[in-house]
Every structure is written in structure tokens, then in C-alpha cells.
Amino acid sequence: MNRNLNEAILSTEKVKAILYSVENSYLDIEVEPQERERADMAVAMFYVLKDAVDRLSVDLAKLEGDCRVVDAICAANDVRRQMAP
């Protein structure tokens, strides 16, 4: 499989781990009432980013599946060429 695709998948998993840590460490802190709107905006922005990373992860998984199919087709074609007289 493509090395660049593997790196992208690994990087996405690293970002997901960071987001998990941020979510569990910072999103439930108490804020002053005058900062509530700003804090709510930050939380909303966090979840927008999290959703984007989740969508990217799904897309990369689909691409990984497509690459496996292409690899299998190429391998089958190589075998056919080797078997041909």
C-alpha cells in the first residue's frame, strides 16, 4: 500500500488522540459567567474540528480499502502475465 496513505492514516490517529486528551482534560472546566459565551464558542469549535477529523478518518479508511482492491488487481494481473506463454 502507498506509504503516503499509511502516514496520513497514522497522522489522523495521532490527531484523534490529541483531541481525545483535550476533550477529557479541558472541556468540562468551570468558567466565569461573563466568559460563558466565549467558552461555549470554543467548545463548539472543538467539536467542529473533531467532526472534520472523524470525516477525514472515514475517507482515508475508504481510500485504504480502494488501494487494497487495486493492489489485488495488480497482483492478479502480474500472475496472469507470468503464466502466459
Side-chain angles (χ1 to χ4, degrees), residues 3-37:
R3 185 178 62 84
N4 293 329
L5 177 58
N6 285 337
E7 288 295 321
I9 291 169
L10 179 60
S11 294
T12 303
E13 292 305 313
K14 289 177 183 178
V15 171
K16 287 168 70 174
I18 292 168
L19 290 172
Y20 177 82
S21 296
V22 169
E23 182 177 31
N24 288 302
S25 298
Y26 299 111
L27 295 188
D28 63 350
I29 61 173
E30 293 296 320
V31 296
E32 298 294 323
Q34 65 270 20
E35 294 292 323
R36 172 54 47 199
E37 184 177 351

Side-chain angles (χ1 to χ4, degrees), residues 68-83:
R68 290 184 189 279
V69 170
V70 169
D71 289 347
I73 291 169
C74 289
N77 287 339
D78 286 344
V79 169
R80 282 193 202 110
R81 277 193 292 274
Q82 292 173 4
M83 301 288 283

